[in-house]
Amino acid sequence: MPAIHKILIANRGEIACRIQRTAQALGYRTVAVFSDADAKALHVQMADQAVRIGPSPVQQSYLNIPAILDAARRSGADAIHPGYGFLSENAEFARACEQAGLIFIGPSVEAIELMGSKRQSKIAMLEAGVPCIAGYQGTEQDDATLLREAERIGYPLMIKASAGGGGRGMRLLQNVADLPAQLRTARSEALNAFGSDELILEQALIEPRHVEVQLFGDQHGNLIYLGERDCSIQRRHQKVIEEAPCPVMTAELRQAMGEAALKAGRAVNYVGAGTVEFLLDTRGQFYFLEMNTRLQVEHPVTELITGLDLVAWQLLVAEGQPLPLTQDRVQLNGHAMEVRLYAEDPAQDFLPQTGRVQAWEPALQHGTRIDHGLLEGQSVSPFYDPMLGKLIAWGASREEARRKLLRAVQDTVLLGVQSNQRLLASLLQHPQFISGEFSTAFIARYFSEHPCLHRYIANAEELAIAAMLFYQSSALAHRAPLTGWRNNASVPLHYRLGLDDQNWTAQLLAHAQGAFTVQVAERTLELKLIDQDTQSLTLELDGLRQRHAYRLDSGHLWLFSHPGSLRLEDRTHAVIDSQTSVSSGTLKAPMDGAIVDVLVSEGSPVSKGQLLVVLEAMKMEHPLKAGIDGVLKRVQVKVGDQVKNRQVLLQVE
């Protein structure tokens, strides 16, 4: 049997850190690879050795097969773990590892090739007797054929990138009128994300549950399943909350889905960790969706209810050892839930966010686990997926797991980068989620107008704390005592606090012994400062004492707001801009990214809402549209340009 001594992890972020923890605990040496954007990342610092593999864009680094193989050669690694995403389901990469004499910690090249194609895998599953959804998975990919097949299948209809995942290259259509345009965007997104624009069509199931089965096979022909996970809480076909076991699962249904998953695995002689995903309808019928030939993002919930380390199992199997358990010895205990923490702004249609992590304090409590790759001071770049980490909780019951996870979400401090934290807390508290009765349509049905999806408005308490912190900062700068004392203490100070295009006023009166009176709008609040350092303060506000995390720098305040990050500016002495308008002829980049399409030219007329530019950031395409009617005066970018957040792209007059 081949022995592994040193493992190169061909990935980044939280999964690279998670793999290293198990590998190092088992005595293996680890090698990290990094791009220019990740030179100081946590996964690099954790590794025994690290090798630069190229510039920041993924095509030049984490998708650069020759560079990764060269890193393995230079470091003396004898095995490669691909993690998930990037090259984890790339058959060419697995084959190249084998040809280089490296152990690929994953399934066979043949299994990856077959299951990596939604088109080919669906054909194989039909032959293996696995239930499948009606659709088109043919080789003819021209528009005429797809239009004809769409009419045969009927609407609503799903377009899917054959090589895709994570919601990229996927579109839901309600009628034929939208099909040509959606085929174009799905092909473009699939080609950019996966290097293939091949598509399949499927009948869209209305409000199913998304349930997946964890498989594990070894090189001796043993194949078992480790229960199921419910991943129905999704946004744009991307999972947001995962849990195990499925809340509506019965013993009979679990066995039926498990046996169907085993049929899928045996059809390709599966070895290693894999997941067979199904859609479960309201009648209890389930249908094959796809098979992921890698470790899943949501694998921790399976680990928590089985007591197993799936990465350790991957290493055992890669060395040729048999599975540690047989099917009859697999036990499921308690309940586990996981949420994905994303750098995105739900109030801006979930626009990915970039910036500097000002504070990161994960709330580790009994029964919780947080997988991440974050460091304070690091930059969240536009080059990679916006997922920052995962918060996971285990409980004896589903309700206990939910309650623990909610507390972890509410208490984890992330400042400097906008995230989906408020959304996660709101989802976990929703009565329909608590009941366990939900589907993949949950967010669309219950959260289309939820307050957490709108711009956050600072409340009076937060504005009062901000005014006090700005006062304390000014007092410190002028070497005044931090007790609130000043010569004209009876005269209140006036503050103007701002967030984007919003402004609030506050009046602060400082008293002795760290006491303050702050008036915000019609409210008067009494504050008493108990303790303070440069990262947090303990404050008594109207009789309630609580700790608040914050960071303050040059008139910019990041305040943790239980949960979420609130950024405020001290605009007390700033000149008021009277030129601000709602509509503008200047189109600016909403984030760092790359220009993948420019659909207009200088001198051409444009109308409000017209698509002008397509920006790619964090592996997704973002259409940028005109804010006014007019004539295009100036185009300042071209296809392929890397642009910064707020950079001017073009101007309409």
Side-chain angles (χ1 to χ4, degrees):
M1 292 186 291
I4 295 174
H5 304 285
K6 184 183 290 188
I7 303 168
L8 183 143
I9 295 107
N11 217 297
R12 64 178 298 278
E14 67 90 10
I15 187 58
C17 295
R18 187 265 171 274
I19 294 166
Q20 287 195 71
R21 289 188 184 98
T22 287
Q24 292 174 349
L26 292 174
Y28 297 100
R29 293 292 179 183
T30 61
V31 181
V33 293
F34 63 92
S35 69
D36 289 343
D38 285 338
K40 298 180 180 179
L42 179 60
H43 77 276
V44 176
Q45 296 185 22
M46 286 178 61
D48 296 302
Q49 295 174 308
V51 182
R52 177 187 178 273
I53 51 171
S56 301
V58 291
Q59 293 82 1
Q60 301 173 52
S61 52
Y62 296 104
L63 296 180
N64 187 340
I65 294 175
I68 292 172
L69 294 179
D70 182 62
R73 180 190 59 79
R74 291 162 59 188
S75 62
D78 43 34
I80 289 185
H81 196 307
Y84 57 71
F86 294 139
L87 295 169
S88 62
E89 295 177 285
N90 185 302
E92 179 189 349
F93 180 56
R95 184 178 290 110
C97 289
E98 290 181 4
Q99 292 173 348
L102 298 165
I103 296 171
F104 180 77
I105 302 174
S108 68
V109 172
E110 293 74 22
I112 295 172
E113 282 182 328
L114 179 61
M115 291 303 184
S117 166
K118 285 186 172 65
R119 186 180 70 79
Q120 294 177 354
S121 64
K122 189 171 180 182
I123 294 170
M125 293 304 98
L126 287 167
E127 293 175 351
V130 180
C132 292
I133 304 170
Y136 173 73
Q137 50 276 342
T139 56
E140 300 297 324
Q141 293 284 306
D142 58 281
D143 279 12
T145 298
L146 295 178
L147 283 162
R148 183 174 64 252
E149 291 296 326
E151 287 300 309
R152 177 184 64 81
I153 298 164
Y155 294 86
L157 180 79
M158 290 297 301
I159 301 173
K160 295 182 180 180
S162 180
R168 291 178 288 278
M170 187 179 292
R171 297 292 186 275
L172 172 64
L173 284 85
Q174 300 293 340
N175 56 69
V176 68
D178 298 330
L179 186 57
Q182 295 292 358
L183 286 173
R184 184 193 69 81
T185 56
R187 281 194 185 103
S188 173
E189 199 165 279
L191 187 63
N192 286 332
F194 312 111
S196 169
D197 61 0
E198 188 176 61
L199 304 174
I200 67 168
L201 305 178
E202 284 186 344
Q203 180 185 38
L205 294 185
I206 304 304
E207 300 192 8
R209 295 185 85 109
H210 183 130
V211 181
E212 60 190 32
V213 176
Q214 175 71 61
L215 285 187
F216 232 104
D218 62 23
Q219 299 176 33
H220 305 278
N222 301 308
L223 186 67
I224 65 173
Y225 64 93
L226 303 174
E228 80 289 339
R229 299 183 286 258
D230 191 311
C231 307
S232 302
I233 307 299
Q234 301 179 6
R235 179 192 62 76
R236 292 178 183 163
H237 312 293
Q238 290 184 318
K239 300 164 187 174
V240 180
I241 302 178
E242 300 104 352
E243 58 181 303
C246 169
V248 299
M249 188 57 60
T250 64
E252 295 77 17
L253 182 58
R254 175 175 293 127
Q255 183 176 352
M257 293 184 82
E259 289 177 353
L262 291 175
K263 283 183 181 179
R266 291 189 185 113
V268 292
N269 299 314
Y270 198 79
V271 173
T275 300
V276 182
E277 302 192 346
F278 297 99
L279 293 180
L280 175 66
D281 68 18
T282 54
R283 301 170 300 154
Q285 300 297 311
F286 59 90
Y287 305 90
F288 174 80
L289 182 62
E290 64 179 344
M291 183 175 184
N292 296 126
T293 55
R294 53 167 168 80
L295 198 66
Q296 290 279 89
V297 174
E298 57 272 23
H299 76 275
V301 295
T302 295
E303 293 185 321
L304 290 182
I305 66 165
T306 60
L308 306 173
D309 184 328
L310 299 192
V311 172
W313 274 36
Q314 286 186 297
L315 303 182
L316 285 173
V317 167
E319 288 188 321
Q321 299 184 46
L323 292 178
L325 292 179
T326 53
Q327 189 67 63
D328 60 339
R329 293 177 58 201
V330 175
Q331 294 184 349
L332 308 182
N333 298 304
H335 203 98
M337 282 186 190
E338 170 183 296
V339 293
R340 302 187 184 195
L341 183 64
Y342 281 97
E344 62 185 13
D345 187 358
Q348 296 188 64
D349 197 26
F350 297 94
L351 193 69
Q353 301 292 292
T354 58
R356 185 175 182 270
V357 176
Q358 299 288 342
W360 171 244
E361 299 173 15
L364 287 171
Q365 301 143 359
H366 178 70
T368 62
R369 163 178 163 181
I370 299 181
D371 288 7
H372 69 90
L374 289 177
L375 289 170
E376 284 196 9
Q378 81 172 70
S379 292
V380 177
S381 79
F383 298 102
Y384 315 115
D385 188 276
M387 194 181 82
L388 301 175
K390 304 169 318 201
L391 285 68
I392 315 110
W394 180 90
S397 65
R398 183 175 186 270
E399 175 56 19
E400 182 183 326
R402 184 200 67 85
R403 193 169 58 242
K404 287 180 177 179
L405 184 56
L406 175 61
R407 181 180 174 91
V409 169
Q410 291 174 329
D411 291 353
T412 291
V413 175
L414 173 64
L415 299 178
V417 180
Q418 184 69 31
S419 78
N420 64 337
Q421 226 169 328
R422 288 190 186 94
L423 170 65
L424 297 177
S426 299
L427 291 170
L428 291 169
Q429 294 177 90
H430 195 278
Q432 197 68 30
F433 178 78
I434 294 173
S435 75
E437 296 293 333
F438 50 79
S439 72
T440 54
F442 176 78
I443 290 179
R445 177 181 285 259
Y446 296 103
F447 278 76
S448 59
E449 295 300 324
H450 197 278
C452 70
L453 299 184
H454 298 280
R455 179 187 294 187
Y456 183 74
I457 305 299
N459 59 40
E461 289 83 357
E462 291 161 349
L463 293 171
I465 295 170
M468 192 213 70
L469 282 167
F470 284 129
Y471 170 80
Q472 292 288 81
S473 176
S474 176
L476 181 63
H478 293 87
R479 300 183 183 279
L482 294 181
T483 57
W485 178 88
R486 59 193 182 90
N487 286 334
N488 52 346
S490 61
V491 180
L493 286 172
H494 294 262
Y495 283 89
R496 184 161 61 92
L497 309 174
L499 173 65
D500 298 327
D501 58 354
Q502 299 173 296
N503 287 284
W504 299 272
T505 57
Q507 296 182 49
L508 179 146
L509 191 62
H511 310 292
Q513 305 304 316
F516 300 86
T517 301
V518 183
Q519 181 154 356
V520 179
E522 303 301 316
R523 289 193 60 185
T524 301
L525 299 103
E526 301 296 333
L527 286 72
K528 185 175 182 181
L529 183 61
I530 306 301
D531 188 37
Q532 180 182 6
D533 58 30
T534 58
Q535 299 186 345
S536 69
L537 74 159
T538 300
L539 194 68
E540 194 173 281
L541 199 161
D542 286 347
L544 288 175
R545 187 173 295 189
Q546 189 170 352
R547 174 185 176 272
H548 300 269
Y550 76 93
R551 297 294 187 274
L552 186 58
D553 182 30
S554 302
H556 294 266
L557 171 68
W558 290 268
L559 180 66
F560 187 65
S561 53
H562 294 281
S565 173
L566 176 63
R567 180 178 60 84
L568 290 168
E569 300 174 0
D570 183 0
R571 296 175 177 172
T572 306
H573 303 293
V575 177
I576 298 176
D577 183 5
S578 62
Q579 304 301 314
T580 303
S581 61
V582 175
S583 296
S584 171
T586 301
L587 180 67
K588 297 180 180 180
M591 70 192 91
D592 295 359
I595 303 297
V596 296
D597 204 357
V598 178
L599 294 91
V600 289
S601 57
E602 290 184 2
S604 59
V606 299
S607 55
K608 184 177 180 180
Q610 180 181 340
L611 180 62
L612 305 179
V613 175
V614 179
L615 176 76
E616 183 185 49
M618 295 185 173
K619 299 162 70 174
M620 295 288 284
E621 290 190 0
H622 306 275
L624 307 181
K625 301 178 180 180
I628 61 171
D629 298 330
V631 176
L632 194 57
K633 179 181 178 182
R634 184 177 296 110
V635 178
Q636 297 180 218
V637 290
K638 62 183 183 301
V639 173
D641 284 356
Q642 291 284 337
V643 297
K644 293 289 187 182
N645 184 26
R646 310 299 297 166
Q647 179 178 331
V648 175
L649 308 180
L650 51 81
Q651 292 179 312
V652 177
E653 68 175 19

